[in-house]
Amino acid sequence: MAKYKYHILICGGTGCRASESDQIHKQFDIILEEKSLEEDIQVIQTGCFGFCEKGPIVKIMPDNTFYTQVKPSDCLEIIEEHIIKGRSVNRLLYEDPETKKHVEDSKHMGFYKKQLRVALRNCGFINPEDINEYLANDGYLALANVLEQKNPMAVIETLKKSGLRGRGGGGFPTGLKWEFAAKNKGDQKYVVCNADEGDPGAFMDRSILEGDPHTVIEAMVINGYAIGSTMGLVYIRAEYPLAIQRLKIALDQALEYGFLGDDILGSGFNFNIDIRYGAGAFVCGEETALIHSMEGNRGEPTFKPPFPAESGYKGQPTNVNNVETYANIPVILNKGWEWFSSIGTEKSKGTKVFALAGKVNNVGLIEVPMGTTLREIIFEIGGGIKDGKEFKAVQTGGPSGGCLTQKHLDTPIDYDNLLASGSMMGSGGMIVMDEDDCMVAIAKFYLEFTVEESCGKCSPCRIGNMRLFEILEKICAGNGTREDLDQLRNLGNVIKDASLCGLGQTSPNPVLSTIDNFWDEYVAHVDDKKCPAGVCRDLKRYEIVPEACVGCTVCARNCPVNCIEGERKQVHFIQQDLCIKCGACYDKCKFNAIIIK
Amino acid sequence: MSHVKIVLKTEQVDEIKAICKAFHNDEGELINVLHKVQTFFGYLPAEVQEVIAHELRMSVAKVFGVVTFYSFFTMKPKGRFPISVCMGTACYVRGAEKVLDEFKRHLKIKVGESTPDGKFSLSSLRCVGACGLAPVVMVGEKVYGRVSSEDVKKIVAEYND
């Protein structure tokens, strides 16, 4: 790498590629060739930088200059100004929203200051399609050491001491899981990587596979050696074409370099990895369901015990871990368990990746030490709420989690604190909501998801969630009663107690947590037939403020049912009995003369 | 199953059989077989499922059970330009529902249907993972970010020849 004067890193994650980062790459190549600079400057497409809000991102190394929202037409200026003349292109630098000053260096951006990137250490830093770049950053070092030391139990011991817990949601201690799988006997044990990220609004596993696929491969081989397995399987969503493509390239390279296949690094240990495709079923994130799906069946969960460590894929001892969990393992082995367990809280060690999205200024992928507070994440890293609105809630844990509020902002986040607050860690989705979001409608949104994704095997989940959804629909339509609110609570608790798998046991969380934290909002829907956030269509009432109306007729012309009347330059009014509450007038009015009541 | 009976051409049957054979006609590979066949055929009508069941020596009911379990598999043909509106949470809170409603209104079809000329089909999907661009719409492989209901007409017009 040393022979290049500059490296131009372009984000090649799904988000930035959707905004033409591929074109930017091509444009740079063309310009560099024209100017005969291709010997001095290297252009690399990396994995996700995390700062998706301002994508596409282009970073110039070694200066660490961070350009945001770059367009293909900006490439020439970057080359001529930055590369040739050594002056940064100010208009493309990130502007600090508070000081209004340009920030040259990503290290000084609020978004990155509080972050500690362990699982994401290589994302946005190396070219994921080149194994040499992974090798240059301690890649496969942990594997080499493990194979040299020939002590599988020592690996498991290190993981146990590190305190690493499963990052897929459950938070089960990883070392313990490996120990069970190691102790159980079988003809052919299996190592499975769960990359079936089904939680809507979570994209951390995909970003790791897109940005640093070798770390997952390395950890799986170590996993195989530690538990005595020679076969690994990656179960990945078919909806992630880029992650699949990069994983395949990485597998081929690892095989070619001798980190996979027979007699790995001359140790006599054999290990192979195969890819299995998911086909869009949220429940397949549950490990028994995932195993049934890999066997070619409907992905329905089964009762545990027997745990997969005893009888999993094809009835053999199987260890299932999530992508992010695997991404932590090579670092723990390289830096030692003492280092890892020094980060985080008493019972949750290390860092956690979150997909921060929703009504927050800096949407993106972040990684913070366990124990960081929601306030730090949302207001410092996330840069606060969009458009200066009021923070209302943050949803963690996806459809299995709950909504946390103002009062939870200073709680240090870890597995146990989130559970105690009525939510859960889940895979790490974090959706921020503002004053314009109706919590009853959000609960309904999640329930609709659960109803669709319930596999239908056990009745509390199949029927119970449907009933919860129907009650929420009734409330949003303005027909709810106080008895319905009691019913939501009772039924929710029954579903949690009586369901077979994690999906059903957690599916009422969005309802129960919003009832607990936003009781007044539910009451307003039921007693006053009002939706305070102005979201629920049937409870909305659009009105024209006479003082603000100038009689421009735009609303009347855009009303699809012609229910707005009024002469030109006269105050208009809405015929409420005809109004279908579509909101077209509200969106079109330039004078804020239409309000929602 | 589907109400319109279709007749498969011999070469199509041969192709399906070849895919099954590539997976050693192994029952455990059913999902991989279905992925390949759907890529080749575009969708998985009942007649195709019958051929697969026969080749893998399993009941048609079981194949049907798997096809209908997973949302990625479809028994209806998609339009030439399949439109998918992301309904992940991040897109939902940034107004994806309004966008979806506008597509329904504009194309006069429901979610899961195709326009009568087979040009567009409409579906909702769960998280493309481009949450920074929410709300997101995909037409085929192309991703549109920060879509508002006013953009719908413009997007559809791009595909008018």
Side-chain angles (χ1 to χ4, degrees), chain A residues 265-277:
Chain A
L265 300 175
S267 64
F269 173 62
N270 307 333
F271 194 79
N272 286 294
I273 296 179
D274 235 353
I275 301 180
R276 291 298 149 97
Y277 300 105

Side-chain angles (χ1 to χ4, degrees), chain A residues 278-336:
Chain A
F282 179 65
V283 69
C284 288
E286 201 281 337
E287 53 185 9
T288 59
L290 181 150
I291 287 167
H292 296 307
S293 176
M294 290 204 309
E295 290 167 342
N297 299 314
R298 289 164 71 97
E300 289 173 352
T302 38
F303 190 73
K304 293 194 274 193
F307 286 91
E310 222 173 298
S311 170
Y313 184 60
K314 296 188 176 170
Q316 296 291 322
T318 304
N319 183 76
V320 185
N321 276 133
N322 153 277
V323 172
E324 190 189 334
T325 313
Y326 276 127
N328 276 291
I329 289 170
V331 202
I332 294 176
L333 296 174
N334 284 336
K335 294 195 173 178

Side-chain angles (χ1 to χ4, degrees), chain A residues 11-57:
Chain A
C11 179
T14 294
C16 284
R17 275 165 70 115
S19 342
E20 304 192 304
S21 76
D22 266 348
Q23 292 300 320
I24 296 173
H25 191 171
K26 273 186 203 141
Q27 196 61 30
F28 272 125
D29 281 344
I30 296 170
I31 299 169
L32 290 175
E33 208 188 317
E34 274 172 9
K35 297 190 180 289
S36 309
L37 284 169
E38 67 266 41
E39 297 285 308
D40 299 324
I41 319 288
Q42 190 190 25
V43 185
I44 306 165
Q45 203 165 48
T46 68
C48 181
F49 284 92
F51 199 38
C52 310
E53 180 71 35
K54 298 275 180 201
I57 306 289

Side-chain angles (χ1 to χ4, degrees), chain A residues 206 279-280 293 297-298 358-359, chain B residues 62 65 70-72 93-94 128:
Chain A
R206 201 209 55 212
S293 176
N297 299 314
R298 289 164 71 97
K359 306 276 184 63
Chain B
K62 185 153 178 230
Y70 296 98
S71 61
F72 195 80
V93 300
R94 286 201 187 176
V128 196

Side-chain angles (χ1 to χ4, degrees), chain A residues 429-446:
Chain A
M430 203 176 255
I431 313 280
V432 179
M433 296 164 207
D434 69 10
E435 55 195 285
D436 294 339
D437 289 305
C438 167
M439 301 324 275
V440 186
I442 289 288
K444 190 176 80 148
F445 167 79
Y446 278 112

Side-chain angles (χ1 to χ4, degrees), chain A residues 163-180 287 304 307 309 319-321 325 415:
Chain A
L164 175 67
R165 294 169 67 174
R167 298 293 194 245
F172 192 80
T174 308
L176 215 54
K177 207 173 195 179
W178 286 26
E179 190 175 52
F180 292 144
E287 53 185 9
K304 293 194 274 193
F307 286 91
N319 183 76
V320 185
N321 276 133
T325 313
Y415 290 101

Side-chain angles (χ1 to χ4, degrees), chain A residues 188-192 227 229 231 233 313-314 316-319:
Chain A
Q188 170 67 65
K189 295 185 188 178
Y190 291 97
V191 166
V192 176
I227 68 164
S229 157
M231 190 62 212
L233 296 158
Y313 184 60
K314 296 188 176 170
Q316 296 291 322
T318 304
N319 183 76

